Amino acid sequence: MEMISALIVMGALCLSGGLALAWAARKFAGNENALVVQIEELLPQTQCAQCGYPGCKPYAEAIVAGEADINQCQPGGERVVKALGQLLGADYRPPAKVAEKPMVAFIREAECIGCTLCIKACPVDCIIGAPKQMHTVITADCTGCTLCIPPCPVNCIDMEMLPPRWQPERP
Amino acid sequence: MMFGLAKKFDGGLKLPPNKHGAEAPSRILPIPESLTYYLTKNIKETHQCIVNIGETVLFGQSIARGLGHQPDIHAAYGGVIEAIGSKAGPYDAPEEQAVIIRTSEYKNVYKHDDKIKNKSDLLKSMGVAGMGGAAFPTGEKVQAAGAPRVWLINGVECEPMLSCDQCLMREQADKLVQAIRYLAAEIMPGRVILALESDKADAVSAMRLALGDVTDIELACLPPRYPQGGEKQLIQTLLGLEVPSGTHAAHLGILVLNVATVMAAFDALAYHLPLTHRLVTVAGQGVSAPGNVWVPIGAALKDVLDFCGYDGAATLRVTVGGPMMGRAVNSLDVAVTKGTSAILALTAADELAVYSAQPCIRCGVCTEVCPARLQPEDMYFNIRAGRLNRTRETGLMDCIACGACAYVCPSEIPLVASFLYAQQICRIEDEQKARAAYIGDLVKARDARLAARRSVRMGKSASREAAARTVDPAAMEKVDAAREKARSKIDK
Ligand code: SF4
Ligand code: SF4
Ligand code: SF4
Ligand code: SF4
Ligand code: SF4
């Protein structure tokens, strides 16, 4: 019996969530660009593609098009799901993947051959270098998105963990 | 010249003063074996260390540079840099990064050159921060105020048990007057008012004597009321002006500095002396010799407490700051900072309020006493229900954490602890939003750059860029390997 009621409840929840999204899409119909901008403002702008789309804007577009769910942004975590839910009138659901600790890229400068491929991949332009010169990462701007790692032909980019952000405990 | 009261601030309380040891002359702490200086606050970097392990530093030498407006840090005694690493911290996070000096060298004094002429830069490089508790960078505050309409010198010290400002005014009244006149010539305020509470008779008479027939410094003796020493409350009481929510006194052309800060600023500007020592109130039934002690910033609480006859067995908790706004520490290795006005060893007999939360009875007394005109019981409910935005709209960020509401609450609900928690969460959210906006700008700048180039070299780079951004499984393996490596490094 419990099992059945649980199923009914879950079903109803999914349905209501879906309906809400569909409703939101209709409410904002014709106004999609504005909605994309609003959604994008809530995303962390890490441009890490971990949501399955090549950046925050494409992900926002996918949400508006009804292709993506609101819980796919990994760095955003719970906060972004909640904010998106509030904006779109959808129910809360836990993030699809739990975010890792914050990281930054670090280039082992001695090994870098100066091919500039990582620069082209970095969505925030935080790698400096010129052809055949050593490259380096501006740590303060790096979002830890890892997009620079695959293109490097000599595998000389490491990810380094940042100290975790301190969170207050609930009294 | 005496001063007529404009009006009293909203809410507030009369608290038992409990100023044990306030009348005793100040003492000087013997040189501690080691000194600790924090480079982070709640793990966030605030200072950059500029010395190396093993290096010898002199008294007054700068050992860490403040990031942004943060004032620099100076060695309070000469010695050798023993370590740079984790240490029990005085804030909310249990541990902070710190520089530790083993003291050994007492003869030589570091000479600061006097190239810096700008007064707010000089205040920063001499390490001057607000000494009333919040340790706000004084240089930044002075700069923001410009030539203020009114300069308030805050000697109110309204919290029970605290008496370091009272002691300072009593013992160094002449120097304080000299400091005020010197600084007044620098910052050119329209009016200067020194405010203190009338129940500190010794400080009042010392200041009266020192001021003599000086007429350009007004003395305001206020009837005691908590939390009168809060910046906004003091302005309301003295000038009848309300500082609007979300703004600072500087917006009204008012500069408020605590008396000890005024002294430190004077030493910095007139003599190029960095802030290295401060007067700290040590009190509570857990110490046998309470009173005010000159302590080098960086000394461990343990050293200071032991000097005052600390009885660990009788003490229930040790707090840094007063009994209302101070916070309990977990370790006595925590070091004194520029904002440490008091170290209290509280026993059961000292506790002002014991929190054993019972349900709220909606009596409304918390709202009555709140000096910031908030509705604590509402905020508390909203925080409990996770409605942080709602709490914010009703003024959460205006709460000055004075503790008046929790003190009067008949249900003993720990209201302030809950507000502090919610404020911190809100601040972290703001930071994340600001960071997202910044990164968003970087992305836009890059898109603009690519678009400009694309119009020159039609299409070529755009397709290559798109290729670099698509996620293919083989590439993901490389990424996973890098992540794994980073993780294993941390575990080590
Ligand atoms: S996972 Fe989040 S941060 Fe990363 S690209 Fe997608 S939306 Fe942006
Ligand atoms: S340096 Fe690498 S990890 Fe950092 S933002 Fe650029 S592409 Fe992402
Ligand atoms: S991709 Fe690798 S080798 Fe090429 S420039 Fe970047 S770090 Fe250097
Ligand atoms: S702690 Fe905050 S809410 Fe409570 S009385 Fe003080 S200002 Fe008001
Ligand atoms: S004082 Fe305590 S019991 Fe009374 S309304 Fe406020 S929170 Fe509730």
Side-chain angles (χ1 to χ4, degrees):
Chain A
M1 186 56 212
E2 258 168 38
M3 172 86 180
I4 294 173
S5 63
L7 277 176
I8 293 173
V9 169
M10 285 307 289
L13 276 180
C14 292
L15 194 63
S16 65
L19 282 178
L21 277 181
W23 168 84
R26 203 159 334 117
K27 181 182 163 201
F28 291 99
N31 212 346
E32 275 143 13
N33 280 339
L35 187 57
V36 168
V37 172
Q38 272 186 335
I39 294 180
E40 214 194 329
E41 270 168 11
L42 297 176
L43 298 174
Q45 302 298 335
T46 310
Q47 315 299 345
C48 60
Q50 290 176 84
C51 50
Y53 296 86
C56 301
K57 191 167 180 207
Y59 175 51
E61 285 164 351
I63 294 179
V64 173
E67 286 167 19
D69 200 353
I70 58 169
N71 63 348
Q72 281 171 238
C73 171
Q74 201 179 70
E78 248 175 56
R79 188 179 70 86
V80 163
V81 182
K82 273 188 195 147
L84 287 176
Q86 224 167 38
L87 176 69
L88 300 171
D91 285 325
Y92 177 76
R93 62 214 72 181
K97 287 182 270 180
V98 181
E100 299 215 27
K101 285 189 189 137
M103 290 199 264
V104 286
F106 180 79
I107 296 178
R108 292 194 305 276
E109 289 161 7
E111 290 161 51
C112 166
I113 54 171
C115 69
T116 77
L117 288 177
C118 55
I119 298 193
K120 295 199 178 82
C122 175
V124 293
D125 264 351
C126 77
I127 304 179
I128 349 178
K132 306 213 174 99
Q133 302 287 310
M134 168 197 96
H135 283 51
T136 194
V137 176
I138 308 172
T139 311
D141 287 359
C142 171
T143 65
C145 69
T146 69
L147 288 175
C148 52
I149 291 184
C152 179
V154 292
N155 245 335
C156 73
I157 308 181
D158 282 337
M159 294 308 286
E160 307 232 311
M161 294 264 181
L162 287 175
R165 181 72 172 85
W166 171 82
Q167 289 278 345
E169 266 170 54
R170 218 197 160 91
Chain B
M1 187 177 129
M2 281 309 287
F3 186 89
L5 275 194
K7 79 187 250 265
K8 120 180 154 36
F9 65 94
D10 297 289
L13 288 171
K14 205 159 168 6
L15 293 175
N18 287 342
K19 310 241 176 195
H20 303 298
E23 308 78 28
S26 62
R27 288 163 288 166
I28 298 173
L29 187 76
I31 300 173
E33 274 173 22
S34 73
L35 297 166
T36 302
Y37 297 97
Y38 298 109
L39 302 171
T40 56
K41 181 171 182 182
N42 290 331
I43 321 190
K44 206 172 159 196
E45 193 178 21
T46 55
H47 288 85
Q48 194 177 19
C49 182
I50 52 170
V51 288
N52 298 312
I53 293 176
E55 194 174 326
T56 301
V57 292
L58 303 181
F59 164 77
Q61 183 173 343
S62 162
I63 53 172
R65 234 181 266 305
L67 304 176
H69 289 289
Q70 283 299 327
D72 297 353
I73 297 175
H74 305 79
Y77 289 110
V80 177
I81 305 295
E82 184 179 60
I84 300 170
S86 293
K87 191 88 194 200
Y91 312 111
D92 290 321
E95 290 204 326
E96 306 286 356
Q97 291 300 305
V99 185
I100 295 143
I101 299 178
R102 182 139 302 268
T103 55
S104 58
E105 224 289 350
Y106 313 121
K107 281 200 206 92
N108 296 312
V109 175
Y110 188 82
K111 271 261 170 296
H112 288 274
D113 60 25
D114 37 14
K115 266 190 243 125
I116 305 172
K117 289 284 176 268
N118 176 313
K119 61 177 178 297
S120 67
D121 291 347
L122 192 54
L123 289 171
K124 177 193 179 319
S125 70
M126 290 296 122
V128 185
M131 293 164 79
F136 192 85
T138 306
E140 187 186 356
K141 208 172 183 181
V142 168
Q143 192 174 25
R149 234 159 23 103
V150 187
W151 176 27
L152 297 180
I153 297 142
N154 188 350
V156 170
E157 205 168 46
C158 54
E159 257 202 87
M161 301 180 92
L162 263 56
S163 61
C164 55
D165 289 347
Q166 176 184 355
C167 177
L168 191 70
M169 286 187 281
R170 182 183 63 224
E171 295 189 344
Q172 304 199 358
D174 289 326
K175 186 181 166 195
L176 180 59
V177 173
Q178 194 192 354
I180 295 172
R181 310 203 85 172
Y182 181 92
L183 289 177
E186 290 279 328
I187 52 186
M188 315 275 270
R191 272 174 86 183
V192 184
I193 307 170
L194 168 62
L196 66 177
E197 287 190 338
S198 57
D199 60 345
K200 289 145 197 152
D202 52 349
V204 174
S205 58
M207 286 318 303
R208 281 225 175 98
L209 195 67
L211 284 169
D213 46 13
V214 170
T215 52
D216 47 0
I217 303 174
E218 300 166 55
L219 189 67
C221 291
L222 309 172
R225 189 161 184 84
Y226 181 81
Q228 190 147 246
E231 210 166 282
K232 294 187 174 181
Q233 283 66 36
L234 190 60
I235 290 171
Q236 204 177 0
T237 306
L238 286 174
L239 306 170
L241 293 173
E242 196 167 325
V243 182
S245 165
T247 64
H248 294 290
H251 289 88
L252 297 177
I254 301 170
L255 172 66
V256 186
L257 294 179
N258 154 281
V259 284
T261 316
V262 169
M263 297 282 227
F266 173 57
D267 283 341
L269 296 183
Y271 306 116
H272 292 93
L273 276 179
L275 171 55
T276 54
H277 288 66
R278 68 159 296 150
L279 205 51
V280 176
T281 301
V282 186
Q285 311 270 340
V287 288
S288 58
N292 289 292
V293 184
W294 283 101
V295 174
I297 289 153
L301 301 187
K302 183 167 64 245
D303 296 337
V304 188
L305 285 167
D306 285 345
F307 176 67
C308 296
Y310 174 59
D311 176 2
T315 304
L316 216 57
R317 62 179 180 137
V318 170
T319 68
V320 168
M324 298 292 285
M325 297 183 69
R327 52 181 81 220
V329 292
N330 296 326
S331 157
L332 295 185
D333 290 336
V334 167
V336 170
T337 64
K338 288 170 186 169
T340 307
S341 50
I343 305 169
L344 305 179
L346 301 172
T347 63
D350 281 314
E351 293 288 353
L352 283 174
V354 183
Y355 296 118
S356 54
Q358 280 147 35
C360 168
I361 54 170
R362 293 269 175 188
C363 64
V365 287
C366 51
T367 305
E368 257 164 58
V369 298
C370 176
R373 287 208 214 131
L374 306 174
Q375 299 195 338
E377 90 264 34
D378 258 22
M379 298 204 307
Y380 181 71
F381 275 112
N382 282 325
I383 293 169
R384 286 288 291 256
R387 291 189 291 265
L388 275 192
N389 279 343
R390 179 83 196 103
T391 319
R392 214 170 177 171
E393 282 159 22
T394 54
L396 170 68
M397 299 320 250
D398 290 336
C399 167
I400 57 167
C402 67
C405 53
Y407 176 74
V408 294
C409 174
S411 294
E412 297 178 343
I413 297 171
L415 296 161
V416 207
S418 155
F419 303 154
L420 284 173
Y421 159 80
Q423 284 183 340
Q424 272 156 348
I425 297 276
C426 287
R427 270 190 220 112
I428 291 175
E429 274 183 11
D430 285 351
E431 251 172 54
Q432 282 171 345
K433 269 191 208 142
R435 166 94 178 150
Y438 172 68
I439 298 289
D441 288 346
L442 291 182
V443 174
K444 276 187 209 121
R446 175 175 192 267
D447 287 348
R449 176 174 70 78
L450 291 178
R453 226 177 48 170
R454 220 172 283 140
S455 62
V456 182
R457 289 201 315 192
M458 299 294 280
K460 206 168 148 200
S461 65
S463 59
R464 215 197 289 159
E465 177 212 339
R469 285 239 213 147
T470 42
V471 206
D472 82 273
M476 280 320 278
E477 267 171 35
K478 250 173 147 183
V479 171
D480 287 341
R483 284 218 172 99
E484 210 36 64
K485 212 161 140 197
R487 231 179 271 121
S488 65
K489 245 187 252 166
I490 287 288
D491 293 342
K492 253 191 285 171

